[in-house]
Amino acid sequence: LPAPLEGPASPERRDPTGAVSVIDVAERRGEARETSAFLAEVPGLLVQQLGGFGQLQSLSLRGASSTGVLVLLDGVPLNGGGGTVDLSRLPVASIERLEVLRGGAGARYGSGALGGVVNVVTRGPSASPRVELSATVGSFATAQLQGSVAGQVLGGEALLLLHGARSSGDFPFRFDPTPQLSGDAVEQRVRENNDAALGGALLRYRRPLGQALSLDALAELTLDEKGLAGTPVNPTPEDRIRERRLTTSARLTRQWTGGEVAARAFLRTDALRLQTSGVERGLHALAGVDVDASVLVADVHGLSVQANLHRESYDNAAAGEVWLRAGVSLMDEWLLADGRLSLVPVLRVERAGPFTLWSPKLGLAWELPWNLRLTANAGQSHRAPSFIELRVPQGGMLPNPDLVPERALSADVGLAHGTDVSQVSATAFYALYENLIAYEYYAPLLPRPYNFPAADVRGVELGARLTPGEWLAASASWTLLFSRNLRDDPRFYLKELPYRPRHRGQVRVEAGPSVLRGRVQVEAQSAQFTNRVQSRVLPARALVHAGVSSALPLQPRVGVSVEVRNALDAQAEDFNGFPLPGRAVFLTVTMGLGDEAEVAQ
């Protein structure tokens, strides 16, 4: 149901009228799943993947491209120089919960939030001592290991977590080299160079510095390497990519009756080594300061101010050249009708490199009788061209210094009903995307990004959750999405946008006590076009996942979980034409010592 984004990385009530989904990963840590699998349960969100564990996974919200979704790690932007976040680089071991804000969010979060925002909240420290260990083994020679220790240190609370995982990823598949001919022989091939390895560490520290002042610090390191398999027609058995991300931040928060102010300083560096025909390297760095303040005035105005200054650099650019981003956002939440009605105007002014961006928004939230809640939003968001798109040659692609920012005009209206045992929501949305940035090839030149006129999307999101008792829980979501290409080229005009299935939904049921709890999940999506002229189609698919977990009442606590992904061994393809992995079985064993220790659920 709609709720404010909250947590140590973002101010409470950042968008009080927005459509927000929160996924508690900690409650389901025993499930052998990647971060993308949890996010795929959110209505309006689509995950596209290349291969199995650790391979590229991108996301789209409400039809926006992957570069139009802002991804944060405890409030620190993760979108790199190219503007897209690979979800496979977000290890589940480090995550407490996922917060997804659907819809244009430029007025509060700035450039890049055309379709929405995903905030990854990392695991927090603990006041009481606890130790946790977890190991997973399964199909495709997949193995994962993680361990954490938490407790009081230097007058505060701390957490240290180490994790590592690997998967060979290779599997056989049947390939038709001449699909245009009926009755021809089908070849047996192996998807090679599909392996992946991921490792890293998370350090969290929290300490009170007085009666109303607190410090929250983060250091996160992620290292990963994977093979790039190419396509079935043009496999690339030697191509590799290695990446390293280091994120550090410190946040001071001062609270008082009716108000709060928070200041965060952060530094994030991404190092990439791409080995294709040659070897390319790049180091992308982002440093900045964010300040948020909110106060309730005369019990009527909820005033909120957010300001930031970020500095971005890339070592492949001209010597000494940097990119500065500065923005100020002002929100005034009018509380009317004894607080049952909120009218929320927001305005953000931002300077992103050479571009000045204005992002206004107006939101409404109305608490109606019978536990109903009505929300509505209308606004404008932008995505400035990235540093790389404007200035930095990358492999066989050229930059384009003439690019202008993308713009999204969006609106939505939602109705939600909630009780102690059930929550149901329905949201209708519309978005018009203008000056879309896409790479095009015009012989004999190399591919480069260009602005294209426009596209629009519209649809409906439905979500429901039922928890009639401690031993039973069920949830479901469904998204209906219509898209149109408004580019003036008659070959594409009014055709559906590629990689945007019209239907997507999932149903999940879990039942039983903690000593033996089972779960079944079905996810399905309709066919989707993979090119703008609608001549190639990615078939519809339906996948069934199942599992059973047992949390044993022992000391130390022990949990055992068995997860079966794609239980019916359905055949599905990624958007490169390779088949996705078939049936996979995983066994997870967890051990925890301490009052707050978590085991497989």
Side-chain angles (χ1 to χ4, degrees), residues 491 495 528-538:
R491 296 174 298 168
K495 294 186 182 296
Q528 53 187 305
F529 296 107
T530 60
N531 60 356
R532 288 191 297 271
V533 295
Q534 300 185 359
S535 61
R536 296 195 300 268
V537 177
L538 195 62

Side-chain angles (χ1 to χ4, degrees), residues 5 16 34 73 145 255 266 316 335 338 356 446 505 516 541:
L5 287 180
E34 293 187 83
L73 181 72
L145 182 65
Q255 295 179 327
F266 70 88
N316 283 1
L335 304 175
D338 296 327
T356 300
L446 292 173
L516 188 63
R541 72 185 189 208

